[in-house]
Coordinates of all heavy atoms in Angstrom, one line a residue:
R292 N 65.9 90.4 111.6 CA 65.2 89.5 110.7 C 63.7 89.7 110.6 O 63.1 89.1 109.7 CB 65.6 88.1 111.0 CG 67.0 87.7 110.5 CD 67.4 86.3 110.9 NE 67.7 86.2 112.3 CZ 67.9 85.1 113.0 NH1 67.9 83.9 112.3 NH2 68.1 85.0 114.2
L403 N 99.1 96.1 110.8 CA 100.1 95.4 111.6 C 101.0 94.5 110.8 O 102.0 94.1 111.3 CB 99.4 94.6 112.7 CG 98.6 95.4 113.8 CD1 97.9 94.5 114.7 CD2 99.6 96.3 114.5
E420 N 96.1 79.9 105.2 CA 95.5 78.6 105.6 C 94.3 78.8 106.5 O 93.3 78.0 106.3 CB 96.6 77.8 106.4 CG 97.8 77.4 105.6 CD 97.4 76.4 104.5 OE1 96.4 75.8 104.5 OE2 98.3 76.2 103.6
L425 N 87.4 74.5 105.4 CA 86.0 74.4 105.2 C 85.2 74.8 106.4 O 84.1 75.4 106.2 CB 85.7 73.0 104.8 CG 84.4 72.7 104.0 CD1 84.4 73.4 102.7 CD2 84.2 71.2 103.8
G487 N 75.1 77.0 96.3 CA 73.8 77.5 95.8 C 74.0 78.5 94.7 O 73.1 78.8 94.0
Y672 N 94.8 93.1 85.7 CA 94.4 94.1 84.7 C 95.4 94.2 83.6 O 96.6 93.9 83.7 CB 94.3 95.5 85.4 CG 93.0 95.7 86.0 CD1 92.6 95.0 87.1 CD2 92.1 96.6 85.5 CE1 91.3 95.1 87.7 CE2 90.8 96.7 86.0 CZ 90.4 96.0 87.1 OH 89.1 96.1 87.6

Side-chain angles (χ1 to χ4, degrees):
R292 282 177 290 173
L403 293 176
E420 294 295 344
L425 200 64
Y672 275 70

